[in-house]
Amino acid sequence: MAHDPKREDYQRLSLRFALSLDASDANDLPRAFASFGRRFAQDRDSLPQSDADRAFHLVALAAELLDYRLPFVADDDRAAAMARRADALLDEARAIDPTCYDAVRMRLLTSTGSVEERCRLLADGEREVRAFCEAERDRVCAELDGEREMLAAAIAMRPYWRWLSSMAEGALVAGRNREAAELAERLLASDPHDLSDARFTLAYALAKLEDGPGLARLVERYETISPMRPADDAWVLLSQLALAYKDYDLPGARRLLGRLLAAYPTSARSLAHQIEVVGGVFARVRVAPYSEDEMVVALSEGVVLLQEGGAPGGSGALGAWVERAVRELAGPASLGDEGRAARSGEGGAS
């Protein structure tokens, strides 16, 4: 599902616009609604909006820079300028609305180099963010009803969900696997529809904990958590594969790898080379299900499994096994390195 800053920006203003029309003449409503899309795209300042709405718009602009443009900029000077621009947008958002917790969190993530320090600062602020978002949710629920209430309540809680998601992901990277699992479960309890895809983080945390029964229970819960998508995403399959490998069940691990290649038919090369990208700052980046992009996101987060026990900067035991097995299952033609295989004789598993 994933958080979409542009869509959320649109939802915020469309909801406020609809509320502003409640006292209007019914005959004027169709024309007013018809004009909203044009005004949103071309004359945003003409629409009713609060300081919180204005601040979130700046967050959405910063998210576009940090999560969807910056990772693909090769020029260092241009990348640095883009990062500075994003930080300036976030600082402006905080100045307009000090309770814009997305801006607070994103600025924390971009300005703090240590994973441990980021984890501590996020933990220190979690109670304040939760209290604010829940109070805002309760306020809109008391004032609205129907679909408006549902949308406004979700919008009110999303900054907290994103805060909690950053905490869970940070704990996983820091090796606090039980804490990561507990935070992911808290997020699922607050957001049962799992807009944040907390189940992905939970799957990796359970694999790190070598909790096979817990992972099996998570798979069973997918029907409730994610009824539109079965438990065959890269996070679940890589977690199951990691547990099979740790149990020395190499035939089972190989079968799971085959399922992964079948579910992501264009991703053999990314899986073999274990390509990584920087994680999203606003939230986990939005990618198409079962695409190569989704595989790359899952692999980037999955370094905690793939590089376990390996030398810094190199493949761990599982990562090396996956690379060899993918080459054997998919063949050099699927990996785009026929020439390399011919030169080095590494076309099969060693």
Side-chain angles (χ1 to χ4, degrees), residues 190-346:
S190 180
D191 173 25
H193 297 297
D194 198 19
L195 183 66
S196 305
D197 290 331
R199 64 192 186 280
F200 296 164
T201 305
L202 179 56
Y204 281 166
L206 292 171
K208 289 289 289 182
L209 291 167
E210 300 186 26
D211 185 355
L215 184 59
R217 288 192 295 270
L218 175 61
V219 167
E220 292 174 356
R221 292 163 60 192
Y222 258 59
E223 187 174 349
T224 301
I225 298 172
S226 179
M228 301 300 293
R229 188 172 182 187
D232 64 348
D233 55 72
W235 287 264
V236 161
L237 291 174
L238 281 170
S239 296
Q240 292 173 327
L241 190 158
L243 289 182
Y245 181 84
K246 288 181 178 180
D247 286 341
Y248 302 102
D249 179 11
L250 297 187
R254 189 179 177 87
R255 285 193 298 272
L256 286 161
L257 184 59
R259 286 184 58 194
L260 190 59
L261 289 167
Y264 293 80
T266 63
S267 301
R269 181 177 178 276
S270 296
L271 187 55
H273 294 289
Q274 292 158 37
I275 296 171
E276 297 177 39
V277 294
V278 178
V281 179
F282 176 75
R284 181 181 279 111
V285 296
R286 294 173 294 108
V287 289
Y290 306 109
S291 65
E292 183 172 10
D293 288 340
E294 184 173 78
M295 175 65 80
V296 170
V297 173
L299 289 169
S300 301
E301 297 176 11
V303 297
V304 294
L305 299 173
L306 296 165
Q307 294 185 6
E308 189 175 37
S315 295
L318 177 60
W321 181 87
V322 166
E323 178 181 357
R324 294 194 300 269
V326 169
R327 292 184 183 282
E328 186 174 83
L329 287 171
S334 298
L335 306 177
D337 57 4
E338 302 95 320
R340 177 184 171 190
R343 290 192 302 272
S344 64
E346 63 178 17

Side-chain angles (χ1 to χ4, degrees), residues 21-260:
L21 296 177
D22 283 351
S24 302
D25 189 314
N27 294 324
D28 295 333
L29 294 180
R31 184 172 58 184
F33 276 114
S35 72
F36 174 78
R38 176 189 58 78
R39 292 171 65 186
F40 179 83
Q42 301 176 10
D43 191 17
R44 180 190 176 90
D45 288 342
S46 72
L47 292 169
Q49 52 194 296
S50 66
D51 284 346
D53 297 327
R54 294 184 179 90
F56 187 83
H57 178 61
L58 297 175
V59 166
L61 295 177
E64 178 69 19
L65 291 173
L66 292 170
D67 294 351
Y68 296 96
R69 293 179 58 187
L70 184 58
F72 307 102
V73 175
D75 181 82
D76 290 345
D77 291 339
R78 186 177 168 217
M82 195 174 290
R84 287 194 298 271
R85 172 58 179 159
D87 285 346
L89 288 167
L90 295 174
D91 288 341
E92 185 179 353
R94 291 190 300 169
I96 293 173
D97 175 19
T99 60
C100 182
Y101 289 110
D102 282 309
V104 173
R105 175 183 56 85
M106 292 168 70
R107 197 67 178 89
L108 182 157
L109 294 176
T110 61
S111 63
T112 310
S114 163
V115 174
E116 291 289 344
E117 182 71 2
R118 288 199 296 270
C119 289
R120 184 186 65 79
L121 292 172
L122 287 168
D124 288 347
E126 186 261 338
R127 183 175 297 180
E128 175 185 334
V129 179
R130 178 179 179 178
F132 176 85
C133 291
E134 288 182 345
E136 184 66 12
R137 178 200 60 194
D138 294 344
R139 181 187 68 79
V140 298
C141 286
E143 296 175 358
L144 305 175
D145 55 23
E147 293 184 1
R148 289 179 176 182
E149 177 187 354
M150 292 174 61
L151 176 59
I155 288 174
M157 290 301 296
R158 286 174 191 170
Y160 175 63
W161 295 342
R162 289 187 281 264
W163 193 284
L164 209 53
S165 182
S166 289
M167 289 178 66
E169 292 165 10
L172 184 66
V173 172
R176 300 175 182 173
N177 303 310
R178 195 167 303 280
E179 180 182 340
E182 291 171 352
L183 287 165
E185 288 285 14
R186 285 174 56 192
L187 182 49
L188 284 170
S190 180
D191 173 25
H193 297 297
D194 198 19
L195 183 66
S196 305
D197 290 331
R199 64 192 186 280
F200 296 164
T201 305
L202 179 56
Y204 281 166
L206 292 171
K208 289 289 289 182
L209 291 167
E210 300 186 26
D211 185 355
L215 184 59
R217 288 192 295 270
L218 175 61
V219 167
E220 292 174 356
R221 292 163 60 192
Y222 258 59
E223 187 174 349
T224 301
I225 298 172
S226 179
M228 301 300 293
R229 188 172 182 187
D232 64 348
D233 55 72
W235 287 264
V236 161
L237 291 174
L238 281 170
S239 296
Q240 292 173 327
L241 190 158
L243 289 182
Y245 181 84
K246 288 181 178 180
D247 286 341
Y248 302 102
D249 179 11
L250 297 187
R254 189 179 177 87
R255 285 193 298 272
L256 286 161
L257 184 59
R259 286 184 58 194
L260 190 59

